[in-house]
Structure formats: C-alpha cells, structure tokens
Amino acid sequence: MVINIADNKNLRIEYSNHEEMYRLNEYFTREKRNARFKKDRNSIVKFFRTNNTIPIQLWEDVKKLCITNGFEYKFEEENKMFRDYEVSFVVDWCKKQIKGTEYSEFDMDDTYLTVYKIIVNRYGRLDLSVSYGKSVVLYLASKFLIDHKEESRIMILEPKPQLSSQLLGEFAGLHKHGFLPFSVWKAGTKMKDTPIVITNFQLAVNLPSSLLELMTMTMCDECHFSSAPSYKIIITEKCKNVKSTIGVTGSLLEDDSAEDFSVKCVSGGTLKTVTKREVIDAGRASDGIISFIHLDYVPTYEKASIVSRRYDERISKLISVDLECEDILKYDWRIKVLAKFAVRNALTKGNGMVLFRKVRGGYAMKFIEYMKAIDK
C-alpha cells in the first residue's frame, strides 16, 4: 500500500490488491451512534472515498490498519505530519512566557509537555480534563507557532460566542509584554486583522471564503462538538490553506463511531488524555465527595396527606411540589440538623457546599444563623 499526500486536506491511497481495498472500505465505514434505533443509509458514513482519498487527519488510522493486518505500506511524506523541535527548547520558551503570571507558582511541567505535543504534531486532538488549564495550553501553543513563524494565521473555533470573549480575557491575563496578537471576531463588531483570531463556528461558517483562506491553522476548543457539519464546511471547504488542525476538549468520547471519526477529520488522532483523577492527584483540582442523607422532614402523621396529595389528579404536580416545600419549611428542627452536619463537614473536610431547591421565605438566612450559633 502506498500513501501519498494528495493536497492540504486529503491522502491518496494506492492499494496493491483486493484484500487491502476491502479492509480499507471496511475499516473506514462507520455507523452513527443511534444507528441501532434507525437503520437506513444515513446511519452509515464512508470515510474512504471512491476516488481513493481519505481525510489527511486519519493518516494514523491508515497506518494502524496496515500494521494490524500485516500490510506493507510506504509513506515517504510522513515527516510532513510533524514539526521539528526539541522538548527542552519548547519548555524553556514556555517558562519565560509564564514567568510573572499566576501560573508561575505552580508545577506546569506536564502542561509544557502538552504544548510540545501540539507544536510538533500538525494534526491531533487532546482530551484534557476540567481544571487542567486548556486556556494556558492554547495560549502557549498558538503564540509559539506565530512567534516562530510556523503559522501566519491561526483561527481558534469556539462552540459559543460567549466563550470567544472569555478565552480572549484569559489570554490577555497571560500576555504581559508587547502587542497582543489575539482578537475576537463577533457579529456586529469590526473584525481586527491579528495573527490569532478567536471566533465561534456559527459566525465562521457564514464568513466569506476569501477571508478564511488566510488561515493556515485551526484549533477547535471543545472539539467534541466538531462532528457537526458546519465544522467540516469551515475547515475542509472554506479554509483551503490550512495545513494543521488541532482539537482540545474535556469530554471526548472515543467509541470508533461515525461521530468519533468526524471529530478526527477536523482535528486528528488523540495525542494525549488527562483524566480527572490525574488532575486531582496532581493537586490541580479538589477531590469532591458527595454525601446523601435521608431526613424525615415532617412528622409521621403528616406524611400520609403529603403522599396522597402527590398522586391527586385534581392537583397539579408543580403545585403539589410547592406545597410540599412549604411543609418542609415549617419545621426548624430539620434545618438545625443540616446546619450541624454542614459545620461538622467543614471542620473535618475543609470545605463543603449546601444546595437548596428554594431559599425563599428566609430559609437560607435561618440556615446561616443556626450555623453561626453552633459551638465550634
């Protein structure tokens, strides 16, 4: 099997025999996640096309197929999938950028290695748990590639307009010196010409191709949303000069489904996975403990009337719930038990959170007053 780069978007596969052709078609034909409920032609997606091309982001899957089946393959241009940088060079550069920021007090070595993976791999996705610091990773990676002239224009895609402004604010907090090379493209505002643009996919899909053709790289934040058709239009059709695609998320579902492969087609194979447990063990997130306590919130003789009211067809469900809440608020002994538990938990565990469905009628203030009255 011979693998060649057809263009910026596709690989061309030249198979040697019918078995290789059969395996290629079989492996790159995927069912959608809901296919078991609705069997039709729309539930099947073929990623290996009739003209023997395949999205370039799936190059590692082609190699995996060859190795698993014992096929000989030749990919002379494989070095074009990477950039050549030493780990120490990237780490030292990242430390200089972080110096003087709030992150300089933390151990960021693993973050720097994650940035290195983005820099040396032209295609890929990273599954980084919440609290890992995706914003820092995106900031360092995008700025490195611009500063070292690896890319001339980078577009960071967000799923929502609000996240674009939020990410720019986080970038501004990290950027301490010189011109800020970032800007946000939003509907109704002037679009600034900066090396790194942050925007949402709803706006990007409606922008003229002449504008998006300036981009040489895309980064998809929350890339688990990128199986949507709009992302394919943006990255494969409008951004014609893009030669590198990266995706970052904290909610990646790798199940080899058609949706999973669609996400790969706009980012690439998985470069790194960081679980929530790893983040907690590294001290970058709290080890949350959820406790449930069942309390008899009303006297026994009133329970029967409350239960019968729940199933009374003459009373709306919403009204019955409101009436039940009012019954709960009548008895202060219950809130005293909760206050004691909250204080004891805070003293032994260090912190805690108490959630109420409703706090009307001064219930929250009562709770606070009872906690203050407890002898600590």
Side-chain angles (χ1 to χ4, degrees):
M1 186 181 298
V2 180
I3 307 168
N4 293 308
I5 297 177
D7 51 46
N8 294 344
K9 310 296 181 186
N10 301 291
L11 296 175
R12 188 173 300 281
I13 310 296
E14 297 177 13
Y15 45 81
S16 304
N17 50 58
H18 288 291
E19 184 181 359
E20 290 182 356
M21 179 189 70
Y22 172 77
R23 293 299 178 189
L24 281 166
N25 279 294
E26 180 187 45
Y27 184 82
F28 291 105
T29 299
R30 297 288 164 173
E31 280 190 339
K32 292 185 178 180
R33 289 177 182 139
N34 63 349
R36 63 184 183 275
F37 301 113
K38 186 178 181 182
K39 291 287 185 180
D40 57 33
R41 64 180 182 178
N42 294 323
S43 63
I44 304 295
V45 181
K46 294 182 180 291
F47 294 93
F48 182 58
R49 309 183 188 101
T50 54
N51 62 352
N52 294 348
T53 61
I54 198 167
I56 196 170
Q57 290 86 350
L58 298 178
W59 71 274
E60 287 184 301
D61 287 276
V62 177
K63 283 184 59 179
K64 177 183 174 182
L65 172 69
C66 293
I67 294 169
T68 303
N69 290 276
F71 298 150
E72 293 185 5
Y73 71 92
K74 187 178 181 181
F75 189 15
E76 294 181 346
E77 298 175 293
E78 185 174 348
N79 62 319
K80 292 185 178 180
M81 302 292 108
F82 305 98
R83 301 184 186 93
D84 187 18
Y85 284 97
E86 294 292 333
V87 178
S88 57
F89 178 79
V90 175
V91 170
D92 290 342
W93 182 89
C94 290
K95 288 180 179 179
K96 291 178 182 177
Q97 303 301 311
I98 292 299
K99 186 177 180 180
T101 68
E102 58 180 312
Y103 294 96
S104 58
E105 302 176 3
F106 303 101
D107 181 8
M108 300 288 287
D109 288 346
D110 190 65
T111 301
Y112 302 149
L113 293 177
T114 304
V115 174
Y116 174 76
K117 283 185 176 292
I118 294 178
I119 290 168
V120 298
N121 291 277
R122 292 189 180 275
Y123 305 98
R125 58 184 182 177
L126 300 98
D127 187 12
L128 307 177
S129 178
V130 178
S131 300
Y132 182 79
K134 289 187 297 178
S135 301
V136 182
V137 171
L138 289 173
Y139 170 80
L140 292 173
S142 59
K143 191 171 185 298
F144 181 96
L145 293 170
I146 291 295
D147 287 356
H148 293 81
K149 302 188 185 304
E150 289 289 344
E151 305 293 343
S152 59
R153 291 286 190 280
I154 298 176
M155 181 168 63
I156 302 176
L157 287 169
E158 293 284 356
K160 296 179 181 179
Q162 304 92 315
L163 295 178
S164 301
S165 300
Q166 179 181 326
L167 188 65
L168 180 65
E170 293 173 356
F171 282 4
L174 290 165
H175 192 78
K176 297 299 180 183
H177 307 288
F179 166 71
L180 185 67
F182 308 92
S183 66
V184 170
W185 285 1
K186 295 191 298 184
T189 61
K190 183 179 179 180
M191 297 182 183
K192 296 181 181 179
D193 183 17
T194 54
I196 303 169
V197 170
I198 308 169
T199 187
N200 62 88
F201 79 96
Q202 298 102 319
L203 175 65
V205 75
N206 292 308
L207 292 175
S209 298
S210 58
L211 192 59
L212 296 183
E213 285 175 2
L214 299 173
M215 305 300 165
T216 60
M217 181 180 185
T218 59
M219 292 182 173
C220 290
D221 191 13
E222 305 297 346
C223 69
H224 59 281
F225 289 113
S226 62
S227 60
S230 297
Y231 281 88
K232 182 180 178 181
I233 295 171
I234 296 166
I235 296 173
T236 64
E237 297 178 19
K238 291 195 170 187
C239 295
K240 295 180 180 179
N241 295 314
V242 163
K243 296 181 180 179
S244 179
T245 57
I246 292 293
V248 180
T249 184
S251 309
L252 188 62
L253 178 57
E254 296 185 76
D255 57 359
D256 290 333
S257 64
E259 289 86 351
D260 182 28
F261 269 63
S262 295
V263 172
K264 282 186 184 181
C265 288
V266 296
S267 55
T270 304
L271 301 175
K272 184 171 184 176
T273 299
V274 178
T275 63
K276 187 67 176 179
R277 174 48 55 189
E278 291 173 336
V279 174
I280 291 171
D281 292 342
R284 302 173 74 167
S286 300
D287 191 359
I289 299 173
I290 301 175
S291 300
F292 292 90
I293 299 177
H294 177 73
L295 295 175
D296 285 337
Y297 52 85
V298 294
T300 305
Y301 62 85
E302 287 194 14
K303 278 186 179 181
S305 62
I306 290 175
V307 172
S308 63
R309 194 167 58 205
R310 288 180 189 171
Y311 301 100
D312 191 339
E313 295 180 354
R314 296 170 298 176
I315 303 175
S316 166
K317 293 291 183 184
L318 293 176
I319 293 175
S320 67
V321 169
D322 289 337
L323 292 173
E324 193 167 335
C325 288
E326 291 177 5
D327 289 331
I328 293 172
L329 301 181
K330 291 178 184 177
Y331 300 97
D332 283 359
W333 64 269
R334 180 177 182 275
I335 201 170
K336 290 179 181 179
V337 172
L338 288 172
K340 288 180 180 179
F341 172 75
V343 171
R344 189 182 302 123
N345 181 76
L347 293 174
T348 56
K349 304 296 183 182
N351 54 38
M353 179 171 62
V354 182
L355 297 177
F356 295 99
R357 183 176 180 273
K358 291 184 180 179
V359 292
R360 67 184 183 184
Y363 196 68
M365 290 304 300
K366 279 185 183 180
F367 183 78
I368 293 171
E369 292 300 324
Y370 280 128
M371 282 200 299
K372 289 180 178 178
I374 294 173
D375 186 10
K376 303 175 181 60

